[in-house]
Amino acid sequence: MTYKTVLQVLDANQFETDLTAEAALCAAANAHLSVLLVKVAAPPRFGDHAGLSVAWLDIQAAEIEQLEKAIEAARTTLKDVGFSFDVAGEYTEPARADDLVGERARYADVTLIGTNMDPSLRARAIEGALFYSARPVLLAPHRRSVTLLPKRILLAWNSSLESTRAAREALDMMKDAEGVNVVLVDPTASRWNGHEPGADVATYLARHGIKVTVDRLPSAGRRVDEVLNQHAIDTTADLIVIGAYGHTRLRQRIFGGVTKAMIEAPVVPVLMVR
């Protein structure tokens, strides 16, 4: 898919680094940048009810003013970038942040989320975009640039519906890339994988003119995310494409999983598709 609208979700308390670092992404791809600055409301304080009401209203008014200043600062930063953009802000309760991001993400081709965010807000933003927008999420790692025009792509493949959707979502990217490594970790011959795991998806991609290499890797006692990240480094991949939440969110939160690990510590940019 060609990305013409990028939603960038930012923490209104600490947005400058991610905003300036990722602006070049839209310039290179000739895409519109839609910036959403999110300010999470402070929880109410305990104390005298009457005094609490007045004090809390004062705090909220101050936070809304801070958000408005952040919006103006972001517009000033982007005014000379040379591509189209818009900047909006949302003041929200913590529990509402995922719904809010998901609703906004429906009107973008991809949602970009960096690492300079409150961890709780970042987690809610990612889940909101993945579960409530039917759009992919592009995760930017710390201190590494992100591109919509990657030269080398690692496609994490396990024959699941999620990895199938991810492959289809990234088809245009893979067509334009110099090479794509389809990576399977500890694959076994099965009804889903076939007698030669990875061969079917490689054939499918090759018919689209994509230059494909199939890599079947042993985990050797490592977690799947560790294998994927290391192979991305070894192959100088600009992007990992992966399906998200093959298991339920609850199970991922309790027992961990590839999605959770890739979200928490991306080594290279990750395009995540649900």
Side-chain angles (χ1 to χ4, degrees), residues 89-117:
E90 288 285 356
Y91 183 67
T92 181
E93 300 296 326
R96 173 87 173 101
D98 49 356
D99 289 324
L100 185 153
V101 171
E103 290 164 4
R104 290 281 184 142
R106 294 169 195 170
Y107 305 101
D109 296 311
V110 64
T111 299
L112 173 63
I113 298 177
T115 56
N116 293 301
M117 299 179 73

PDB file of all heavy atoms in Angstrom, residues 89-117:
ATOM      1  N   GLY A  89      -4.638  18.512  18.951  1.00  0.00           N
ATOM      2  CA  GLY A  89      -4.356  18.049  20.301  1.00  0.00           C
ATOM      3  C   GLY A  89      -5.591  17.458  20.941  1.00  0.00           C
ATOM      4  O   GLY A  89      -6.718  17.802  20.584  1.00  0.00           O
ATOM      5  N   GLU A  90      -5.369  16.557  21.881  1.00  0.00           N
ATOM      6  CA  GLU A  90      -6.468  15.945  22.628  1.00  0.00           C
ATOM      7  C   GLU A  90      -6.089  15.880  24.101  1.00  0.00           C
ATOM      8  O   GLU A  90      -5.000  15.424  24.453  1.00  0.00           O
ATOM      9  CB  GLU A  90      -6.769  14.536  22.119  1.00  0.00           C
ATOM     10  CG  GLU A  90      -7.431  14.483  20.756  1.00  0.00           C
ATOM     11  CD  GLU A  90      -8.906  14.865  20.790  1.00  0.00           C
ATOM     12  OE1 GLU A  90      -9.440  15.094  21.906  1.00  0.00           O
ATOM     13  OE2 GLU A  90      -9.519  14.934  19.710  1.00  0.00           O
ATOM     14  N   TYR A  91      -6.998  16.353  24.930  1.00  0.00           N
ATOM     15  CA  TYR A  91      -6.851  16.254  26.384  1.00  0.00           C
ATOM     16  C   TYR A  91      -7.780  15.146  26.841  1.00  0.00           C
ATOM     17  O   TYR A  91      -8.996  15.209  26.620  1.00  0.00           O
ATOM     18  CB  TYR A  91      -7.228  17.586  27.027  1.00  0.00           C
ATOM     19  CG  TYR A  91      -7.047  17.638  28.525  1.00  0.00           C
ATOM     20  CD1 TYR A  91      -5.781  17.579  29.092  1.00  0.00           C
ATOM     21  CD2 TYR A  91      -8.156  17.764  29.372  1.00  0.00           C
ATOM     22  CE1 TYR A  91      -5.614  17.642  30.470  1.00  0.00           C
ATOM     23  CE2 TYR A  91      -7.993  17.834  30.748  1.00  0.00           C
ATOM     24  CZ  TYR A  91      -6.723  17.769  31.294  1.00  0.00           C
ATOM     25  OH  TYR A  91      -6.557  17.831  32.660  1.00  0.00           O
ATOM     26  N   THR A  92      -7.234  14.102  27.450  1.00  0.00           N
ATOM     27  CA  THR A  92      -8.037  12.909  27.678  1.00  0.00           C
ATOM     28  C   THR A  92      -7.727  12.234  29.003  1.00  0.00           C
ATOM     29  O   THR A  92      -6.625  12.382  29.549  1.00  0.00           O
ATOM     30  CB  THR A  92      -7.801  11.896  26.536  1.00  0.00           C
ATOM     31  OG1 THR A  92      -8.597  10.727  26.747  1.00  0.00           O
ATOM     32  CG2 THR A  92      -6.342  11.474  26.465  1.00  0.00           C
ATOM     33  N   GLU A  93      -8.694  11.492  29.489  1.00  0.00           N
ATOM     34  CA  GLU A  93      -8.461  10.610  30.627  1.00  0.00           C
ATOM     35  C   GLU A  93      -7.613   9.425  30.150  1.00  0.00           C
ATOM     36  O   GLU A  93      -7.695   9.029  28.983  1.00  0.00           O
ATOM     37  CB  GLU A  93      -9.791  10.096  31.183  1.00  0.00           C
ATOM     38  CG  GLU A  93     -10.732  11.185  31.669  1.00  0.00           C
ATOM     39  CD  GLU A  93     -10.160  11.960  32.841  1.00  0.00           C
ATOM     40  OE1 GLU A  93      -9.447  11.348  33.666  1.00  0.00           O
ATOM     41  OE2 GLU A  93     -10.413  13.168  32.934  1.00  0.00           O
ATOM     42  N   PRO A  94      -6.808   8.829  31.029  1.00  0.00           N
ATOM     43  CA  PRO A  94      -5.941   7.720  30.609  1.00  0.00           C
ATOM     44  C   PRO A  94      -6.691   6.578  29.926  1.00  0.00           C
ATOM     45  O   PRO A  94      -6.240   6.056  28.904  1.00  0.00           O
ATOM     46  CB  PRO A  94      -5.297   7.262  31.926  1.00  0.00           C
ATOM     47  CG  PRO A  94      -5.322   8.467  32.798  1.00  0.00           C
ATOM     48  CD  PRO A  94      -6.575   9.201  32.446  1.00  0.00           C
ATOM     49  N   ALA A  95      -7.836   6.196  30.468  1.00  0.00           N
ATOM     50  CA  ALA A  95      -8.565   5.046  29.942  1.00  0.00           C
ATOM     51  C   ALA A  95      -9.172   5.297  28.565  1.00  0.00           C
ATOM     52  O   ALA A  95      -9.570   4.359  27.878  1.00  0.00           O
ATOM     53  CB  ALA A  95      -9.667   4.633  30.918  1.00  0.00           C
ATOM     54  N   ARG A  96      -9.230   6.543  28.154  1.00  0.00           N
ATOM     55  CA  ARG A  96      -9.851   6.896  26.875  1.00  0.00           C
ATOM     56  C   ARG A  96      -8.831   7.035  25.751  1.00  0.00           C
ATOM     57  O   ARG A  96      -9.183   7.127  24.577  1.00  0.00           O
ATOM     58  CB  ARG A  96     -10.601   8.220  27.062  1.00  0.00           C
ATOM     59  CG  ARG A  96     -11.181   8.843  25.829  1.00  0.00           C
ATOM     60  CD  ARG A  96     -12.568   8.330  25.510  1.00  0.00           C
ATOM     61  NE  ARG A  96     -13.145   9.076  24.402  1.00  0.00           N
ATOM     62  CZ  ARG A  96     -13.192   8.649  23.146  1.00  0.00           C
ATOM     63  NH1 ARG A  96     -12.711   7.461  22.832  1.00  0.00           N
ATOM     64  NH2 ARG A  96     -13.733   9.383  22.199  1.00  0.00           N
ATOM     65  N   ALA A  97      -7.543   7.009  26.075  1.00  0.00           N
ATOM     66  CA  ALA A  97      -6.507   7.310  25.093  1.00  0.00           C
ATOM     67  C   ALA A  97      -6.493   6.324  23.927  1.00  0.00           C
ATOM     68  O   ALA A  97      -6.303   6.716  22.773  1.00  0.00           O
ATOM     69  CB  ALA A  97      -5.137   7.341  25.773  1.00  0.00           C
ATOM     70  N   ASP A  98      -6.685   5.026  24.191  1.00  0.00           N
ATOM     71  CA  ASP A  98      -6.627   4.053  23.101  1.00  0.00           C
ATOM     72  C   ASP A  98      -7.783   4.243  22.122  1.00  0.00           C
ATOM     73  O   ASP A  98      -7.595   4.176  20.901  1.00  0.00           O
ATOM     74  CB  ASP A  98      -6.581   2.618  23.641  1.00  0.00           C
ATOM     75  CG  ASP A  98      -7.639   2.335  24.684  1.00  0.00           C
ATOM     76  OD1 ASP A  98      -8.378   3.259  25.072  1.00  0.00           O
ATOM     77  OD2 ASP A  98      -7.729   1.170  25.127  1.00  0.00           O
ATOM     78  N   ASP A  99      -8.988   4.490  22.640  1.00  0.00           N
ATOM     79  CA  ASP A  99     -10.125   4.750  21.753  1.00  0.00           C
ATOM     80  C   ASP A  99      -9.881   5.986  20.897  1.00  0.00           C
ATOM     81  O   ASP A  99     -10.160   6.006  19.697  1.00  0.00           O
ATOM     82  CB  ASP A  99     -11.403   4.958  22.570  1.00  0.00           C
ATOM     83  CG  ASP A  99     -11.910   3.669  23.199  1.00  0.00           C
ATOM     84  OD1 ASP A  99     -11.789   2.613  22.555  1.00  0.00           O
ATOM     85  OD2 ASP A  99     -12.411   3.719  24.327  1.00  0.00           O
ATOM     86  N   LEU A 100      -9.368   7.015  21.531  1.00  0.00           N
ATOM     87  CA  LEU A 100      -9.131   8.284  20.848  1.00  0.00           C
ATOM     88  C   LEU A 100      -8.143   8.112  19.693  1.00  0.00           C
ATOM     89  O   LEU A 100      -8.378   8.583  18.576  1.00  0.00           O
ATOM     90  CB  LEU A 100      -8.607   9.282  21.871  1.00  0.00           C
ATOM     91  CG  LEU A 100      -8.382  10.726  21.497  1.00  0.00           C
ATOM     92  CD1 LEU A 100      -8.531  11.585  22.737  1.00  0.00           C
ATOM     93  CD2 LEU A 100      -6.994  10.926  20.908  1.00  0.00           C
ATOM     94  N   VAL A 101      -7.032   7.422  19.959  1.00  0.00           N
ATOM     95  CA  VAL A 101      -6.030   7.200  18.918  1.00  0.00           C
ATOM     96  C   VAL A 101      -6.599   6.323  17.806  1.00  0.00           C
ATOM     97  O   VAL A 101      -6.388   6.583  16.615  1.00  0.00           O
ATOM     98  CB  VAL A 101      -4.754   6.567  19.508  1.00  0.00           C
ATOM     99  CG1 VAL A 101      -3.804   6.124  18.401  1.00  0.00           C
ATOM    100  CG2 VAL A 101      -4.054   7.554  20.436  1.00  0.00           C
ATOM    101  N   GLY A 102      -7.335   5.282  18.181  1.00  0.00           N
ATOM    102  CA  GLY A 102      -7.926   4.409  17.180  1.00  0.00           C
ATOM    103  C   GLY A 102      -8.874   5.140  16.253  1.00  0.00           C
ATOM    104  O   GLY A 102      -8.876   4.918  15.032  1.00  0.00           O
ATOM    105  N   GLU A 103      -9.677   6.037  16.814  1.00  0.00           N
ATOM    106  CA  GLU A 103     -10.618   6.806  15.995  1.00  0.00           C
ATOM    107  C   GLU A 103      -9.877   7.703  15.005  1.00  0.00           C
ATOM    108  O   GLU A 103     -10.259   7.812  13.839  1.00  0.00           O
ATOM    109  CB  GLU A 103     -11.521   7.638  16.906  1.00  0.00           C
ATOM    110  CG  GLU A 103     -12.511   6.794  17.706  1.00  0.00           C
ATOM    111  CD  GLU A 103     -13.128   7.549  18.866  1.00  0.00           C
ATOM    112  OE1 GLU A 103     -12.840   8.763  19.002  1.00  0.00           O
ATOM    113  OE2 GLU A 103     -13.886   6.933  19.640  1.00  0.00           O
ATOM    114  N   ARG A 104      -8.816   8.344  15.466  1.00  0.00           N
ATOM    115  CA  ARG A 104      -8.029   9.209  14.586  1.00  0.00           C
ATOM    116  C   ARG A 104      -7.305   8.405  13.513  1.00  0.00           C
ATOM    117  O   ARG A 104      -7.171   8.834  12.370  1.00  0.00           O
ATOM    118  CB  ARG A 104      -6.999   9.981  15.409  1.00  0.00           C
ATOM    119  CG  ARG A 104      -7.590  11.040  16.307  1.00  0.00           C
ATOM    120  CD  ARG A 104      -7.923  12.287  15.522  1.00  0.00           C
ATOM    121  NE  ARG A 104      -8.393  13.343  16.390  1.00  0.00           N
ATOM    122  CZ  ARG A 104      -8.094  14.626  16.230  1.00  0.00           C
ATOM    123  NH1 ARG A 104      -7.322  14.993  15.231  1.00  0.00           N
ATOM    124  NH2 ARG A 104      -8.573  15.534  17.052  1.00  0.00           N
ATOM    125  N   ALA A 105      -6.817   7.234  13.892  1.00  0.00           N
ATOM    126  CA  ALA A 105      -6.004   6.427  12.981  1.00  0.00           C
ATOM    127  C   ALA A 105      -6.800   5.887  11.798  1.00  0.00           C
ATOM    128  O   ALA A 105      -6.214   5.510  10.778  1.00  0.00           O
ATOM    129  CB  ALA A 105      -5.364   5.271  13.749  1.00  0.00           C
ATOM    130  N   ARG A 106      -8.106   5.851  11.902  1.00  0.00           N
ATOM    131  CA  ARG A 106      -8.934   5.361  10.793  1.00  0.00           C
ATOM    132  C   ARG A 106      -8.824   6.240   9.555  1.00  0.00           C
ATOM    133  O   ARG A 106      -9.153   5.805   8.447  1.00  0.00           O
ATOM    134  CB  ARG A 106     -10.395   5.272  11.234  1.00  0.00           C
ATOM    135  CG  ARG A 106     -10.638   4.228  12.304  1.00  0.00           C
ATOM    136  CD  ARG A 106     -12.016   4.342  12.920  1.00  0.00           C
ATOM    137  NE  ARG A 106     -12.094   3.584  14.162  1.00  0.00           N
ATOM    138  CZ  ARG A 106     -13.103   3.648  15.023  1.00  0.00           C
ATOM    139  NH1 ARG A 106     -14.142   4.430  14.758  1.00  0.00           N
ATOM    140  NH2 ARG A 106     -13.075   2.944  16.134  1.00  0.00           N
ATOM    141  N   TYR A 107      -8.369   7.463   9.737  1.00  0.00           N
ATOM    142  CA  TYR A 107      -8.285   8.405   8.623  1.00  0.00           C
ATOM    143  C   TYR A 107      -6.843   8.628   8.182  1.00  0.00           C
ATOM    144  O   TYR A 107      -6.528   9.638   7.553  1.00  0.00           O
ATOM    145  CB  TYR A 107      -8.955   9.726   9.020  1.00  0.00           C
ATOM    146  CG  TYR A 107     -10.373   9.491   9.483  1.00  0.00           C
ATOM    147  CD1 TYR A 107     -10.682   9.468  10.840  1.00  0.00           C
ATOM    148  CD2 TYR A 107     -11.387   9.218   8.568  1.00  0.00           C
ATOM    149  CE1 TYR A 107     -11.972   9.207  11.272  1.00  0.00           C
ATOM    150  CE2 TYR A 107     -12.681   8.951   8.992  1.00  0.00           C
ATOM    151  CZ  TYR A 107     -12.968   8.952  10.342  1.00  0.00           C
ATOM    152  OH  TYR A 107     -14.245   8.678  10.762  1.00  0.00           O
ATOM    153  N   ALA A 108      -5.986   7.670   8.514  1.00  0.00           N
ATOM    154  CA  ALA A 108      -4.588   7.699   8.078  1.00  0.00           C
ATOM    155  C   ALA A 108      -4.241   6.336   7.493  1.00  0.00           C
ATOM    156  O   ALA A 108      -4.931   5.343   7.731  1.00  0.00           O
ATOM    157  CB  ALA A 108      -3.664   8.022   9.253  1.00  0.00           C
ATOM    158  N   ASP A 109      -3.164   6.289   6.724  1.00  0.00           N
ATOM    159  CA  ASP A 109      -2.720   5.017   6.153  1.00  0.00           C
ATOM    160  C   ASP A 109      -1.867   4.225   7.132  1.00  0.00           C
ATOM    161  O   ASP A 109      -1.817   3.000   7.072  1.00  0.00           O
ATOM    162  CB  ASP A 109      -1.919   5.269   4.868  1.00  0.00           C
ATOM    163  CG  ASP A 109      -2.760   5.904   3.785  1.00  0.00           C
ATOM    164  OD1 ASP A 109      -3.866   5.395   3.526  1.00  0.00           O
ATOM    165  OD2 ASP A 109      -2.321   6.919   3.203  1.00  0.00           O
ATOM    166  N   VAL A 110      -1.185   4.930   8.017  1.00  0.00           N
ATOM    167  CA  VAL A 110      -0.320   4.279   9.000  1.00  0.00           C
ATOM    168  C   VAL A 110      -0.174   5.213  10.194  1.00  0.00           C
ATOM    169  O   VAL A 110      -0.216   6.437  10.047  1.00  0.00           O
ATOM    170  CB  VAL A 110       1.065   3.947   8.380  1.00  0.00           C
ATOM    171  CG1 VAL A 110       1.816   5.206   7.981  1.00  0.00           C
ATOM    172  CG2 VAL A 110       1.903   3.083   9.311  1.00  0.00           C
ATOM    173  N   THR A 111      -0.022   4.633  11.379  1.00  0.00           N
ATOM    174  CA  THR A 111       0.191   5.418  12.596  1.00  0.00           C
ATOM    175  C   THR A 111       1.628   5.250  13.049  1.00  0.00           C
ATOM    176  O   THR A 111       2.101   4.127  13.237  1.00  0.00           O
ATOM    177  CB  THR A 111      -0.762   4.969  13.718  1.00  0.00           C
ATOM    178  OG1 THR A 111      -2.116   5.175  13.291  1.00  0.00           O
ATOM    179  CG2 THR A 111      -0.519   5.775  14.990  1.00  0.00           C
ATOM    180  N   LEU A 112       2.322   6.364  13.210  1.00  0.00           N
ATOM    181  CA  LEU A 112       3.730   6.374  13.602  1.00  0.00           C
ATOM    182  C   LEU A 112       3.838   6.693  15.087  1.00  0.00           C
ATOM    183  O   LEU A 112       3.304   7.699  15.557  1.00  0.00           O
ATOM    184  CB  LEU A 112       4.482   7.421  12.778  1.00  0.00           C
ATOM    185  CG  LEU A 112       5.941   7.695  13.145  1.00  0.00           C
ATOM    186  CD1 LEU A 112       6.794   6.449  12.949  1.00  0.00           C
ATOM    187  CD2 LEU A 112       6.480   8.850  12.306  1.00  0.00           C
ATOM    188  N   ILE A 113       4.540   5.831  15.817  1.00  0.00           N
ATOM    189  CA  ILE A 113       4.706   6.020  17.260  1.00  0.00           C
ATOM    190  C   ILE A 113       6.169   5.817  17.627  1.00  0.00           C
ATOM    191  O   ILE A 113       6.768   4.794  17.291  1.00  0.00           O
ATOM    192  CB  ILE A 113       3.811   5.050  18.054  1.00  0.00           C
ATOM    193  CG1 ILE A 113       2.331   5.333  17.739  1.00  0.00           C
ATOM    194  CG2 ILE A 113       4.072   5.172  19.556  1.00  0.00           C
ATOM    195  CD1 ILE A 113       1.356   4.396  18.402  1.00  0.00           C
ATOM    196  N   GLY A 114       6.728   6.804  18.311  1.00  0.00           N
ATOM    197  CA  GLY A 114       8.128   6.742  18.714  1.00  0.00           C
ATOM    198  C   GLY A 114       8.293   6.235  20.133  1.00  0.00           C
ATOM    199  O   GLY A 114       7.395   5.613  20.707  1.00  0.00           O
ATOM    200  N   THR A 115       9.444   6.525  20.714  1.00  0.00           N
ATOM    201  CA  THR A 115       9.760   6.018  22.052  1.00  0.00           C
ATOM    202  C   THR A 115       9.734   7.100  23.123  1.00  0.00           C
ATOM    203  O   THR A 115       9.726   6.784  24.312  1.00  0.00           O
ATOM    204  CB  THR A 115      11.154   5.363  22.058  1.00  0.00           C
ATOM    205  OG1 THR A 115      12.126   6.314  21.596  1.00  0.00           O
ATOM    206  CG2 THR A 115      11.183   4.139  21.159  1.00  0.00           C
ATOM    207  N   ASN A 116       9.726   8.376  22.727  1.00  0.00           N
ATOM    208  CA  ASN A 116       9.750   9.457  23.710  1.00  0.00           C
ATOM    209  C   ASN A 116       8.335   9.774  24.188  1.00  0.00           C
ATOM    210  O   ASN A 116       7.778  10.840  23.912  1.00  0.00           O
ATOM    211  CB  ASN A 116      10.403  10.707  23.105  1.00  0.00           C
ATOM    212  CG  ASN A 116      11.870  10.497  22.830  1.00  0.00           C
ATOM    213  OD1 ASN A 116      12.642  10.203  23.732  1.00  0.00           O
ATOM    214  ND2 ASN A 116      12.261  10.614  21.572  1.00  0.00           N
ATOM    215  N   MET A 117       7.757   8.824  24.902  1.00  0.00           N
ATOM    216  CA  MET A 117       6.398   8.960  25.403  1.00  0.00           C
ATOM    217  C   MET A 117       6.311   8.339  26.788  1.00  0.00           C
ATOM    218  O   MET A 117       7.104   7.449  27.128  1.00  0.00           O
ATOM    219  CB  MET A 117       5.390   8.251  24.484  1.00  0.00           C
ATOM    220  CG  MET A 117       5.323   8.765  23.068  1.00  0.00           C
ATOM    221  SD  MET A 117       4.125   7.834  22.070  1.00  0.00           S
ATOM    222  CE  MET A 117       2.577   8.451  22.746  1.00  0.00           C
TER     223      MET A 117
END
